[in-house]
């Protein structure tokens, strides 16, 4: 055994968690926003908890493959789900036969809050949202937008954008933001409402052109990019990441994971990672408040999805 193993000793904590390496499941392929963020959190938390936190990508069905994997895992805190909010509050509304995620998972804490960025291939003849809309009206139904899966926030953002702008766009779902964004950069897809972590670097490198962000204020990582509302499109879509365990995980274990995660979130390295990725610290909610927040968002977005007639193809 190499000396490096001494950095993460294998021992059982007095409180019973962790009892070994902790697996943090991400419901998307590697390279997307949740994957990037989960790995940043794992890197900070591993030395804190004395065990390795391993990120396991289980992409498919807009994150639901990962949801089901964690829901069926042993409820001991050793298998966690690093969720995009839509995985748990939207998927049951759009996927036939989907489990009740809010009953199958135990909320632990919210880790980020963020906007999305409307990014197009640089060869697209549009430098503003207005020019993109004009392009869509000139050639109806020829423009495409990718998403990380049906019912995800970037799917929802695209549908709301098309509705508000009075245009028709063709939706192309993928198994994660990484591959969805890659096809925008290659020119196969016109645009994507991407989470910020995988897009910011590509925008700054000139591989993507950012036309708008989806919140009510500009983001520090892309200060020159206006909001949709600034450009006359009344659409606001916000996202978040959060940590969940299997239902029936003992409260004492959930409390310990929450405490350790929130301690990690106070580490300057976490704030640096969020700033670099274009994310923000979330409101400081207790576990109970986080669960209540999820239920409330599920009700509100369920109504919006029904009105837009969004469901799994």
């Amino acid at each position: 055994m190499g000396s490096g193993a001494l950095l993460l000793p294998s021992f059982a904590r007095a409180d019973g968690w962790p009892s070994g390496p902790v697996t943090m499941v991400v419901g998307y392929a590697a390279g997307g926003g949740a994957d990037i963020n989960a790995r940043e959190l794992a890197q900070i938390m591993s030395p804190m908890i004395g065990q390795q936190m391993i990120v396991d990508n289980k992409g498919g069905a807009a994150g639901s493959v990962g949801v089901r994997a964690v829901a069926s895992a042993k409820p001991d805190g050793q298998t966690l789900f690093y969720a995009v909010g839509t995985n748990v509050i939207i998927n049951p509304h759009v996927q036939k036969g989907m489990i009740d995620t809010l009953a199958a998972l135990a909320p632990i804490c919210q880790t980020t809050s963020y906007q999305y960025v409307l990014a197009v291939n640089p060869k697209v003849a549009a430098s503003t949202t207005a020019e993109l809309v004009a392009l869509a009206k000139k050639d109806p139904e020829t423009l495409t937008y990718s998403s990380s899966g049906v019912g995800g926030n970037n799917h929802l953002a695209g549908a709301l954008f098309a509705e508000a702008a009075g245009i028709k766009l063709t939706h192309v779902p993928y198994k994660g933001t990484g591959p969805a964004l890659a096809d925008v950069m290659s020119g196969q897809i016109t645009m994507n409402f991407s989470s910020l972590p995988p897009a910011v670097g590509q925008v700054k490198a000139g591989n993507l052109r950012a036309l708008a962000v989806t919140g009510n204020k500009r983001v520090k990582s892309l200060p020159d990019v206006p909001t949709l509302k600034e450009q006359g499109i009344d659409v606001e879509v916000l996202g978040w990441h959060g940590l969940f365990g299997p239902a029936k995980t003992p409260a004492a274990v959930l409390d310990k994971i929450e405490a350790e995660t929130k301690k990690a979130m106070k580490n300057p390295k976490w704030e640096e990672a969020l700033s670099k990725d274009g994310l923000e610290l979330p409101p400081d909610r207790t576990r109970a408040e986080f669960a209540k927040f999820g239920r409330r968002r599920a009700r509100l977005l369920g109504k919006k999805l029904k009105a837009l007639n969004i469901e799994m193809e």
Side-chain angles (χ1 to χ4, degrees):
M1 182 178 292
S3 60
L6 297 175
L7 295 174
L8 297 171
S10 295
F11 62 87
R13 297 281 287 261
D15 48 46
W17 186 89
S19 59
V22 177
T23 298
M24 191 155 54
V25 174
V26 173
Y28 299 100
D35 174 70
I36 291 170
N37 201 229
R39 291 177 189 279
E40 291 167 337
L41 182 62
Q43 192 171 18
I44 295 171
M45 285 189 71
S46 291
M48 288 175 50
I49 65 173
Q51 292 286 352
Q52 188 68 45
M53 292 195 82
I54 303 163
V55 175
D56 184 11
N57 298 93
K58 293 186 181 296
S64 288
V65 171
V67 170
R68 290 179 186 274
V70 175
S72 63
K74 186 177 179 180
D76 57 3
Q78 296 303 122
T79 303
L80 305 173
F81 186 54
Y82 195 80
V84 173
T86 54
N87 301 156
V88 292
I89 64 175
I90 285 182
N91 287 12
H93 293 291
V94 300
Q95 297 178 9
K96 294 177 182 177
M98 183 55 190
I99 60 175
D100 182 348
T101 52
L102 292 176
L105 298 174
I108 299 173
C109 70
Q110 186 177 343
T111 55
T112 73
S113 179
Y114 59 90
Q115 300 187 36
Y116 292 80
V117 56
L118 169 54
V120 301
N121 183 283
K123 293 182 180 178
V124 172
S127 297
T128 66
T129 300
E131 290 177 357
L132 184 67
V133 170
L135 199 62
K137 289 182 175 179
K138 180 181 177 183
D139 296 304
E141 299 185 60
T142 60
L143 302 191
T144 56
Y145 72 100
S146 58
S147 77
S148 57
V150 175
N153 259 2
N154 38 26
H155 178 195
L156 180 61
L160 290 171
F161 171 66
E163 180 187 53
I167 57 177
K168 290 186 178 181
L169 302 173
T170 300
H171 173 231
V172 184
Y174 286 73
K175 289 186 177 181
T177 299
L181 211 54
D183 275 2
V184 177
M185 290 187 284
S186 72
Q188 293 184 57
I189 298 291
T190 311
M191 70 190 86
N192 180 276
F193 280 86
S194 175
S195 49
L196 287 160
V200 171
Q202 300 296 346
V203 169
K204 291 182 176 179
N207 298 320
L208 291 169
R209 180 184 300 136
L211 303 187
V213 290
T214 63
N216 56 17
K217 61 180 181 180
R218 299 190 184 197
V219 298
K220 293 178 181 178
S221 55
L222 296 171
D224 297 328
V225 180
T227 66
L228 284 170
K229 289 187 175 183
E230 281 183 76
Q231 300 178 79
I233 304 292
D234 190 17
V235 170
E236 182 179 333
V237 179
L238 301 175
W240 52 270
H241 295 136
L243 204 57
F244 292 76
K248 298 183 180 179
T249 301
V253 173
L254 295 174
D255 288 343
K256 183 62 180 176
I257 299 170
E258 178 191 15
E260 293 290 349
T261 305
K262 288 185 173 178
K263 192 185 300 180
M265 289 166 60
K266 291 179 180 177
N267 188 312
K269 290 182 180 178
W270 181 247
E271 291 194 40
E272 288 172 16
L274 296 190
S275 178
K276 172 176 62 71
D277 295 340
L279 308 178
E280 297 179 349
L281 283 168
D284 186 13
R285 297 185 174 98
T286 63
R287 273 204 301 118
E289 290 169 341
F290 181 41
K292 185 177 180 180
F293 164 74
R295 290 192 296 269
R296 185 173 66 249
R297 293 296 295 167
R299 286 194 301 270
L300 291 172
L301 289 174
K303 293 177 182 177
K304 188 170 290 188
L305 290 160
K306 188 175 181 179
L308 289 169
N309 196 30
I310 291 178
E311 60 181 25
M312 182 70 86
E313 285 96 343

